[in-house]
Amino acid sequence: MTDLAHSPAAPAPGRVLGGRYRLEALIGRGGYASVYRAIDEHLERAVAVKVFTASTSDGADRARVASETRVLASLTHPSLVTLFDARLDEDPAYFVMELIDGPTLGDRIAGAPLDPVTTASVAADLAEALHVIHERGIVHRDVKPSNVLLRPAPMPSQPPRATLADFGIAYLIDSARVTATGTLIGTAAYLSPEQARGETPTAAADVYALGLVLLESLTGRRAYAQATPHEALVARLVRSPDVPATLPHGWRVLLSAMTAMDPAHRPDAHAVQRAAMRLKTDESEGWNPVPVTLPAPRAEAGPQDVTDRTAVLPADETSEIPAEPARPSRRRAVWLIVAAVLLVAGLAAGIAAAMVWGGTPAPDPTLPALPEPLGEHMRQLLDQVSP
């Protein structure tokens, strides 16, 4: 990775771009761009400015910059970074995005693993974001903890909103590629097996990467923690990631499906979002979480049909949510009904015996206090058996 903090192409903090955006501090850098916290002096608000390096002078990088700009400009969603402005004809080229003043998911995981409820919230947010971009024919190709920003929640009791950032290497399905066929694009630790083989990326690759991110969020460690990127890539070609048996059953089922070796066996982003919402609700209410059953892929789906890619969980891995225990008030009502029926039966037997043996008629029986309309029903029953 290029150290852009010392690159002559990286502008120094304090510089004003476009007569409007004053750079304050470098907050991130990558292979072809630096991201700054900046102030929009026209609107007096904090923004994030992504400045492209001098390497964008060649045709492939210019296409990549233009591609990312089109992607961001076409998307509006709470879990996707919003593009405010783009200046591709200036030197250096840059565009302006909303500034999410929160940590990355990677920073959060480094402190401690996330609890299941927070992880389910992150999963639902990111799966929804992926569903939105997949519906537009876009594959992110670099879903990883450092590309997930945690937007502070408006209320202290709410979890942060996970926001997907950095579409720098996003691939537009059916568009001209800006990289050569077989080129490995993405972060080695989160690549899918098909990406590791250099195959064309599909939406299923994003689902796989999200599965690894969620697994890391719950355990605090990478699924493939080999010493070198090469070893990590080889490992995922021969085995699925280890999903610990200590995780709740619902999480094991969902993560195993998302990280299936065969892309056709993975759920799509929409199914993951629904399952994550179910897990979030179940965890919050104290149930043993079980995700919803994922719909089966359509028979006519081909290898490039990525918008409808779904999977079915194994039959022995699914179960129904346990029935809610009977409430005390319901049990009490049942016992009252049984007791009342026995009482009426006893009274009826006594009245019949008195009639047979000619004894003194028994006084009118008195029913115990019963809740209505049960009391009225018992009185009517007693009238029917009385002489």
Side-chain angles (χ1 to χ4, degrees), residues 1-377:
M1 181 174 294
T2 305
D3 185 1
L4 294 177
H6 302 287
S7 169
R15 180 174 173 179
V16 177
L17 299 180
R20 176 173 181 174
Y21 305 108
R22 176 166 47 84
L23 306 182
E24 288 194 326
L26 182 68
I27 58 176
R29 56 179 175 261
Y32 69 101
S34 301
V35 181
Y36 294 81
R37 179 187 178 92
I39 295 295
D40 180 348
E41 295 184 333
H42 287 190
L43 299 179
E44 297 183 353
R45 66 176 176 181
V47 294
V49 176
K50 186 167 188 176
V51 181
F52 298 96
T53 66
S55 63
T56 58
S57 58
D58 66 82
D61 281 335
R62 282 199 304 273
R64 186 181 296 113
V65 173
S67 173
E68 181 175 3
T69 304
R70 289 194 301 272
V71 169
L72 286 173
S74 68
L75 301 174
T76 302
H77 190 274
S79 288
L80 295 171
V81 174
T82 302
L83 177 67
F84 293 147
D85 192 8
R87 304 291 181 88
L88 302 182
D89 54 351
E90 296 194 12
D91 186 17
Y94 65 91
F95 54 69
V96 183
M97 305 169 290
E98 66 171 322
L99 177 68
I100 298 177
D101 202 5
T104 68
L105 181 59
D107 295 334
R108 181 74 178 271
I109 297 173
L114 303 185
D115 61 87
V117 175
T118 302
T119 304
S121 179
V122 168
D125 291 343
L126 296 180
E128 187 174 326
L130 288 177
H131 172 67
V132 170
I133 68 172
H134 292 167
E135 286 292 298
R136 300 291 298 271
I138 301 165
V139 178
H140 189 282
R141 295 204 298 177
D142 200 21
V143 178
K144 58 183 179 181
S146 60
N147 278 343
V148 176
L149 305 176
L150 299 179
R151 190 191 305 270
M155 300 295 292
S157 59
Q158 296 176 340
R161 180 89 189 195
T163 306
L164 189 59
D166 199 351
F167 286 79
I169 58 174
Y171 175 78
L172 275 69
I173 301 173
D174 295 330
S175 296
R177 303 185 197 182
V178 295
T179 56
T181 302
T183 299
L184 191 62
I185 295 293
T187 303
Y190 306 96
L191 289 178
S192 65
E194 60 271 23
Q195 283 177 291
R197 292 190 293 266
E199 298 175 4
T200 301
T202 67
D206 285 345
V207 171
Y208 182 94
L210 178 58
L212 296 186
V213 168
L214 298 177
L215 183 57
E216 184 175 340
S217 299
L218 288 166
T219 63
R221 60 182 183 275
R222 287 183 175 180
Y224 296 100
Q226 281 70 19
T228 67
H230 177 74
E231 291 172 346
L233 291 175
V234 171
R236 76 200 60 222
L237 292 175
V238 297
R239 65 175 178 86
S240 297
D242 177 36
V243 179
T246 54
L247 293 180
H249 173 74
W251 276 111
R252 297 199 308 272
V253 173
L254 178 59
L255 293 175
S256 296
M258 294 176 68
T259 57
M261 296 283 288
D262 187 344
H265 293 166
R266 299 172 201 154
D268 64 14
H270 190 200
V272 173
Q273 190 272 343
R274 296 197 308 271
M277 290 300 297
R278 179 74 174 273
L279 284 169
K280 181 180 178 180
T281 300
D282 293 340
E283 291 280 4
S284 300
E285 295 181 355
W287 297 102
N288 292 324
V290 179
V292 296
T293 302
L294 305 178
R298 297 184 304 181
E300 67 271 18
Q304 298 301 319
D305 186 359
V306 299
T307 59
D308 295 302
R309 187 183 302 282
T310 54
V312 176
L313 300 183
D316 59 348
E317 289 292 325
T318 60
S319 62
E320 296 295 328
I321 295 293
E324 181 180 1
R327 297 178 181 176
S329 60
R330 183 174 297 177
R331 289 199 297 268
R332 180 172 176 270
V334 171
W335 282 112
L336 284 173
I337 293 172
V338 173
V341 171
L342 292 176
L343 175 61
V344 171
L347 291 174
I351 293 171
M355 294 176 62
V356 171
W357 297 103
T360 302
D364 292 337
T366 302
L367 288 173
L370 296 174
E372 298 298 338
L374 179 61
E376 178 62 24
H377 293 166

